[in-house]
Amino acid sequence: MTRLRSLFAAAATVVLITGATAAGTASAAAAGQPREPGCAHLVGYGSGWADIYNECGYTVFASVEVDGFDPSCIQIGPGAVGTIGLEPGDVPYYAYEC
């Protein structure tokens, strides 16, 4: 009986530690940049371009949000990165599916 009790105590400790780690990870992500919904994610940008990553297992059409008019949507294959052109001075906020 003592061995069984020790086993349950060890399992409960693992569950508590794992849960605390997951909660800490979630709150750290919430404090940073918000996660974009859907498959399209902005992964980089520079003068006149932005890279959009498609994390899903199917092809999507995506663009980025900028001040003014958003660029036309581009097709991005599953697990691929697509580069979209930007107007001079445009700074993308996030990517989205069209």
Side-chain angles (χ1 to χ4, degrees):
M1 184 73 155
T2 307
R3 183 177 171 109
L4 185 59
R5 209 177 313 194
S6 297
L7 182 62
F8 282 129
T13 302
V14 168
V15 169
L16 288 174
I17 291 171
T18 304
T21 302
T25 303
S27 62
Q33 184 176 0
R35 177 145 168 82
E36 299 159 311
C39 298
H41 302 284
L42 179 65
V43 293
Y45 66 90
S47 179
W49 62 274
D51 283 343
I52 303 170
Y53 171 64
N54 174 9
E55 75 173 4
C56 293
Y58 53 87
T59 300
V60 299
F61 288 88
S63 185
V64 292
E65 176 70 27
V66 297
D67 287 335
F69 294 104
D70 294 348
S72 297
C73 296
I74 59 170
Q75 181 176 336
I76 307 170
V81 174
T83 301
I84 193 166
L86 302 176
E87 296 291 323
D90 279 352
V91 176
Y93 297 107
Y94 58 88
Y96 63 91
E97 290 179 65
C98 303

